[in-house]
Amino acid sequence: APPIPPAVSPASSQPRERAKIRVRTLRTDRWWLAPLLTVLGLVAWVAYATVRAFMQKWYWVDDYHYLTPFYSPCVSNGCVPESAHFGRVLPDVWFIPFAAFSLPFLLLFRLTCYYYRKAYYRSFWLSPPACAVSEPHTKYTGETRFPLLGQNAHRYAFYAAFLISLINTWDAIQSFHSPGGFGFGLGNLILVGNVVALWAYTLSCHSCRHIVGGKLKHFSKHPVRYRAWTFVSKLNGHHMGLAWTTLATLAVTDFYVMAVSAGWFSDLRFVG
Ligand code: FES
């Protein structure tokens, strides 16, 4: 086989010029489909979540103690007292969501997530929209300057998201309730399923993988961290799928709680 030429000419140490191609891409497949679906999916989800976060009703089912994750923890004076597991400290005004302590951190966590970055850089910023498709921008500074430099805050957002996953877990445990005491219905399956998916997404985070297994010189001297890192690494391979799965489980959980709370249909009860 002929030798592969180096990317940089050793004589000049200058990068080779790019091939002059007049068309934007030579790809003939439907490369635009993935970015288009991403835009549609994310816009639909953000629209739904925004409406729900500011609706300030149908977030709590008193009989069964179901609390939607969009209102957790419920910390506004407007929250139903039983739904406020961690106290009510914020004023009840229309422009402050009832879960104003958690929603900004969750937004930051998702916005700075390595997968979502890829998704919205490609789909919204078109930088580039797909492999081997040139981007419309002429300059590229990546994440080296403000505001994208802020993407480095992801590791801190991870700690907040971890804490919020603990709170969601507490909500799911609290929801095994009926007017007579212990109870269990379809809502519990949905709430628990959502929490399991949220944990899988949170633990599959690239920052989590680094926290668990990074900065070690010898895995052999840290067998527990090695096992944890191996587990997190397996999850990490599914990070994109988990990112979308959790958007779906969050929306389904919220919709179910809203529907039962509003009386559109009743919860399917197995016990209590
Ligand atoms: Fe996606 Fe951390 S990389 S949540």
Side-chain angles (χ1 to χ4, degrees), residues 213-226:
K215 293 195 173 173
L216 293 182
K217 286 211 169 89
H218 308 286
F219 268 139
S220 55
K221 292 193 180 142
H222 303 272
V224 176
R225 285 185 67 182
Y226 176 66

Side-chain angles (χ1 to χ4, degrees), residues 109-110 112-116 154 158 201-202 204-208 236 239:
F109 185 51
R110 300 251 170 184
T112 57
C113 162
Y114 292 20
Y115 165 66
Y116 285 110
H154 185 64
F158 166 78
Y201 170 66
T202 308
S204 72
C205 167
H206 293 70
S207 292
C208 174
N236 183 261
H239 195 57

Side-chain angles (χ1 to χ4, degrees), residues 29-226:
D29 61 336
R30 290 188 295 167
W31 57 265
W32 43 267
L33 188 60
L36 177 67
L37 291 178
T38 306
V39 167
L40 294 177
L42 290 181
V43 167
W45 196 89
V46 168
Y48 174 83
T50 307
V51 170
R52 280 295 289 144
F54 288 96
M55 199 182 256
Q56 302 188 339
K57 63 176 180 179
W58 298 336
Y59 56 91
W60 169 253
V61 179
D62 205 34
D63 278 351
Y64 312 132
H65 289 191
Y66 294 160
L67 176 65
T68 165
F70 286 13
Y71 284 70
S72 174
C74 212
V75 287
S76 162
N77 276 315
C79 296
V80 176
E82 291 74 20
S83 71
H85 301 146
F86 300 92
R88 300 185 297 166
V89 292
L90 290 180
D92 179 14
V93 284
W94 69 267
F95 54 87
I96 300 183
F98 283 6
F101 281 170
S102 58
L103 295 185
F105 290 104
L106 290 176
L107 185 65
L108 186 69
F109 185 51
R110 300 251 170 184
L111 266 183
T112 57
C113 162
Y114 292 20
Y115 165 66
Y116 285 110
R117 280 190 230 179
K118 173 192 158 189
Y120 65 81
Y121 286 174
R122 286 193 169 195
S123 309
F124 290 88
W125 194 238
L126 309 176
S127 179
C131 291
V133 180
S134 66
E135 57 182 300
H137 313 283
T138 49
K139 248 176 85 185
Y140 178 78
T141 53
E143 295 172 344
T144 57
R145 299 199 191 151
F146 181 82
L148 293 185
L149 191 62
Q151 301 284 28
N152 288 302
H154 185 64
R155 69 197 76 170
Y156 305 109
F158 166 78
Y159 292 116
F162 189 93
L163 200 65
I164 295 164
S165 291
L166 284 175
I167 293 173
N168 291 148
T169 307
W170 180 247
D171 294 337
I173 294 170
Q174 293 286 308
S175 69
F176 285 88
H177 181 89
S178 75
F182 175 81
F184 171 43
L186 179 58
N188 294 96
L189 292 182
I190 292 174
L191 282 161
V192 170
N194 177 53
V195 161
V196 170
L198 285 179
W199 273 118
Y201 170 66
T202 308
L203 294 180
S204 72
C205 167
H206 293 70
S207 292
C208 174
R209 187 165 175 263
H210 180 70
I211 290 163
V212 170
K215 293 195 173 173
L216 293 182
K217 286 211 169 89
H218 308 286
F219 268 139
S220 55
K221 292 193 180 142
H222 303 272
V224 176
R225 285 185 67 182
Y226 176 66

Side-chain angles (χ1 to χ4, degrees), residues 244-268:
W244 284 102
T245 303
T246 45
L247 289 188
T249 59
L250 280 165
V252 167
T253 307
D254 176 74
F255 184 83
Y256 190 85
V257 172
M258 172 169 68
V260 175
S261 174
W264 298 341
F265 52 76
S266 8
D267 186 32
L268 175 64

